[in-house]
Amino acid sequence: IQLLPGPQVILSWPASATNYALQGASTISGNSWQTISNPATFVGGQLQLTNTVSGSMFYRLHSQ
């Protein structure tokens, strides 16, 4: 994870991690995980996201 100025973050993971969905949540516990559906941009093989949530955001790859 690489934080950029403002609400942007760059996420990267191995290309071998297929059949996973990127999910995000404002808290790490509980059932608040949701599949990331906001627009994302690939930059140099990495995923660049704009965080639309005020405050902290947690990310995970979830097996589909």
Side-chain angles (χ1 to χ4, degrees), residues 8 20-21 40 53 61:
Q8 295 187 13
Y20 287 86
V53 175
L61 289 178

Side-chain angles (χ1 to χ4, degrees), residues 49-63:
L49 296 170
T50 298
N51 185 2
T52 58
V53 175
S54 176
S56 297
M57 187 71 171
F58 298 91
Y59 298 98
R60 73 178 183 182
L61 289 178
H62 189 265
S63 179

Side-chain angles (χ1 to χ4, degrees), residues 3-56:
L3 298 176
L4 300 176
Q8 295 187 13
V9 63
I10 292 179
L11 303 173
S12 60
W13 54 85
S16 62
T18 58
N19 295 321
Y20 287 86
L22 179 64
Q23 295 185 332
S26 58
T27 62
I28 201 163
S29 61
N31 257 352
S32 61
W33 293 98
Q34 295 183 4
T35 299
I36 301 294
S37 60
N38 63 332
T41 305
F42 283 96
V43 177
Q46 298 174 326
L47 185 65
Q48 182 172 332
L49 296 170
T50 298
N51 185 2
T52 58
V53 175
S54 176
S56 297

